[in-house]
Amino acid sequence: MSKFPKTLSVSKAAALCGVGRTAVGYWIRSKKLYARRLGWKYTIPVEDLLFFLQNSNQRVPSELYHENSSRPIF
């Protein structure tokens, strides 16, 4: 079982990616990154964040990789 959650808040995704919450909000509003809306908050599936980062040639945070592995945890 993975210690990593299956979804992330906007704040957590921003912290992992080293960008501001505003940038993540822009990715969501511009439909570059999928997020589910729950009330006033959004949750981002980790698999979708990983897909977005890889396809937009952005750095994938090391937290998304297993120890001793070069492959993503998903």
Side-chain angles (χ1 to χ4, degrees), residues 1 4 12 16 32-33 45-46 55 60 62-63 67-68 71:
M1 175 158 45
F4 207 78
K12 182 66 177 174
L16 272 173
K32 294 178 182 182
L33 175 61
V46 176
N55 286 308
V60 176
S62 60
E63 292 87 352
E67 284 185 37
N68 305 322
R71 294 183 54 223

Side-chain angles (χ1 to χ4, degrees), residues 48-60:
D48 289 308
L49 177 62
L50 182 61
F51 181 81
F52 166 75
L53 293 172
Q54 290 175 331
N55 286 308
S56 60
N57 295 321
Q58 295 192 43
R59 180 187 68 82
V60 176

Side-chain angles (χ1 to χ4, degrees), residues 7-71:
T7 61
L8 299 170
S9 67
V10 171
S11 296
K12 182 66 177 174
L16 272 173
C17 295
V19 298
R21 290 176 45 226
T22 307
V24 177
Y26 170 76
W27 297 339
I28 294 168
R29 284 189 310 279
S30 63
K31 300 189 189 237
K32 294 178 182 182
L33 175 61
Y34 174 75
R36 292 184 188 111
R37 187 170 180 174
L38 298 171
W40 292 99
K41 298 183 180 190
Y42 287 94
T43 60
I44 301 164
V46 176
E47 291 178 357
D48 289 308
L49 177 62
L50 182 61
F51 181 81
F52 166 75
L53 293 172
Q54 290 175 331
N55 286 308
S56 60
N57 295 321
Q58 295 192 43
R59 180 187 68 82
V60 176
S62 60
E63 292 87 352
L64 296 181
Y65 287 95
H66 280 297
E67 284 185 37
N68 305 322
S69 175
S70 61
R71 294 183 54 223

